[in-house]
């Protein structure tokens, strides 16, 4: 049994619900560890044919990594956090031979947007909002966002979103190719299940080959992921990162110095 996730298996579809709604389902250490275990279960359990990842409640899919855990980290700790996430969750999702789809039911910010992007494709509810707001904290995306957002929506728009930290709504996300479908919140899981049931009628090995090959087609710069981990860690040495994360937790605007 998981403490931070709800899971259920029905008709071959395994639904993983991140369940910290009072903290906007933020990814703390426990969530990352348990998501890793749940994805291991997906690989190992033959009864699981396809997977949905979603968030509990009506406000957030996942509002990012848990900012309250950042103050304890230095450069090495920051890089280790990013590398562990990549190893135990994000890359495992991306490379899973069984389809894993994100059903985005609200805010998908920072690590939440990155979690959605590591899935094979995405559906969003009308109230969903997307963004990589790390620059507001003196940080950068650390769970593959600089790479996967650029792959999904192209260089210019990825640059703008990651530099401004702006949020976009579900329809804009669809027009950019970040999500495939936008549906009413109360129909989100039903629509996601309808698509997965269709996929489950296809040949599983062929579907697994499609996943591997589409991943190969988009993996032009494997070193970009390593560089992101390195630079994410480097942010933890800056005064701006301390100011940005402290300001968030104190609910005030940060004053950055470029140091
Ligand atoms: N890490 C830790 N706690 C978070 C969090 C995060 N990423 N996102 C939200 N929370 C917490 C808030 O601190 C708050 O906790 P509290 O009730 O103990 O004060 C609670 O979740 C509710 O969030 P709140 O900000 O009050 O809700 P809101 O509706 O006003 O705003 C968001 C929602 C998502 C816009 C806002 O919470 C936000 O900007 N979150 C951070 C997004 C971010 O920067 N993510 C990248 C992290 S690297």
């Amino acid at each position: 049994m998981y403490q931070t996730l709800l899971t259920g298996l029905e008709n071959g579809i395994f639904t993983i619900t991140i369940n910290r709604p009072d903290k906007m389902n933020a990814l703390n250490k426990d969530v990352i560890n348990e998501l890793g275990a749940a994805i291991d279960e997906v690989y190992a359990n033959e009864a699981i044919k396809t997977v949905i990842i979603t968030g509990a409640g009506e406000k957030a899919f996942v509002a990012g990594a848990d900012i309250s855990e950042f103050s304890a980290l230095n450069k090495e700790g920051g890089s280790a956090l990013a590398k562990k996430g990549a190893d135990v969750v994000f890359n495992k999702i991306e490379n899973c031979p069984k389809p894993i789809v994100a059903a985005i039911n609200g805010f998908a910010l920072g690590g939440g947007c990155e979690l959605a992007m590591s899935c094979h494709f995405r559906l969003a509810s009308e109230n969903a909002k997307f963004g990589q707001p790390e620059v507001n904290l003196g940080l950068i995306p650390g769970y593959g966002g600089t790479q996967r957002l650029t792959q999904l929506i192209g260089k210019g728009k990825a640059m703008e979103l990651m530099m401004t930290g702006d949020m976009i709504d579900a329809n804009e996300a669809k027009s950019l190719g970040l999500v495939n479908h936008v549906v009413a919140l109360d129909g989100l899981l039903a629509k996601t299940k309808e698509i997965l049931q269709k996929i489950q009628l296809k040949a599983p090995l062929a579907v697994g080959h499609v996943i591997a090959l589409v991943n190969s087609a988009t993996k032009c710069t494997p070193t970009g992921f390593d560089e992101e981990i390195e630079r994410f860690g480097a942010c933890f040495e800056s005064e701006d990162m301390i100011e940005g994360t402290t300001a968030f937790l104190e609910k005030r605007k940060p004053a950055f110095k470029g140091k």
Side-chain angles (χ1 to χ4, degrees), residues 5-245:
L5 308 177
L6 304 170
T7 58
L9 178 60
E10 201 187 357
N11 301 323
I13 302 176
F14 188 56
T15 303
I16 302 172
T17 306
I18 298 158
N19 188 30
R20 296 182 76 211
D22 55 325
K23 292 288 178 191
M24 300 277 163
N25 301 320
L27 302 174
N28 65 6
K29 279 190 200 122
D30 293 340
V31 178
I32 291 291
N33 286 333
E34 292 198 336
L35 266 178
I39 301 302
D40 286 346
E41 200 181 330
V42 170
Y43 274 77
N45 184 347
E46 284 185 13
I48 297 175
K49 307 296 182 197
T50 61
V51 180
I52 298 173
I53 299 182
T54 192
E58 301 196 338
K59 281 193 83 172
F61 171 70
V62 168
D66 192 316
I67 298 164
S68 68
E69 290 184 345
F70 286 171
S71 60
L73 300 176
N74 59 10
K75 182 181 178 196
E76 288 69 35
S79 287
L81 176 96
K83 182 163 186 340
K84 180 172 178 192
D87 290 346
V88 310
V89 177
F90 294 80
N91 293 346
K92 265 197 204 159
I93 291 174
E94 183 169 69
N95 295 319
C96 184
K98 301 177 186 179
I100 303 184
V101 173
I104 300 149
N105 56 308
F107 289 110
L109 302 176
C113 191
E114 292 171 295
L115 179 65
M117 291 193 292
S118 71
C119 293
H120 298 134
F121 60 90
R122 289 144 291 282
L123 283 80
S125 57
E126 287 160 347
N127 63 314
K129 293 258 191 320
F130 299 80
Q132 296 292 157
E134 290 86 353
V135 282
N136 296 323
L137 302 166
L139 275 169
I140 59 169
Y143 285 143
T146 60
Q147 307 301 297
R148 292 193 182 98
L149 188 65
T150 308
Q151 288 166 356
L152 277 165
I153 71 171
K155 185 173 171 180
K157 204 66 202 174
M159 286 274 193
E160 183 184 341
L161 282 183
M162 286 186 276
M163 285 194 229
T164 60
D166 280 351
M167 279 190 228
I168 57 170
D169 66 17
N171 286 321
E172 188 171 357
K174 186 178 171 205
S175 73
L176 292 172
L178 186 53
V179 303
N180 295 7
H181 304 273
V182 178
V183 286
L185 180 59
D186 63 6
L188 178 65
L189 287 181
K191 175 74 180 173
T192 312
K193 286 178 183 169
E194 185 191 310
I195 295 173
L196 289 178
Q197 261 147 11
K198 185 189 274 187
I199 295 172
Q200 285 184 181
L201 298 175
K202 315 300 174 191
L205 295 178
V207 169
H209 288 312
V210 167
I211 292 171
L213 290 165
V214 175
N215 283 341
S216 302
T218 53
K219 220 168 251 158
C220 331
T221 57
T223 58
F225 285 94
D226 296 336
E227 206 182 313
E228 184 190 277
I229 288 170
E230 187 86 4
R231 287 180 183 270
F232 181 77
C235 293
F236 283 76
E237 281 190 320
S238 70
E239 288 176 28
D240 283 349
M241 179 269 166
I242 295 165
E243 166 62 9
T245 52

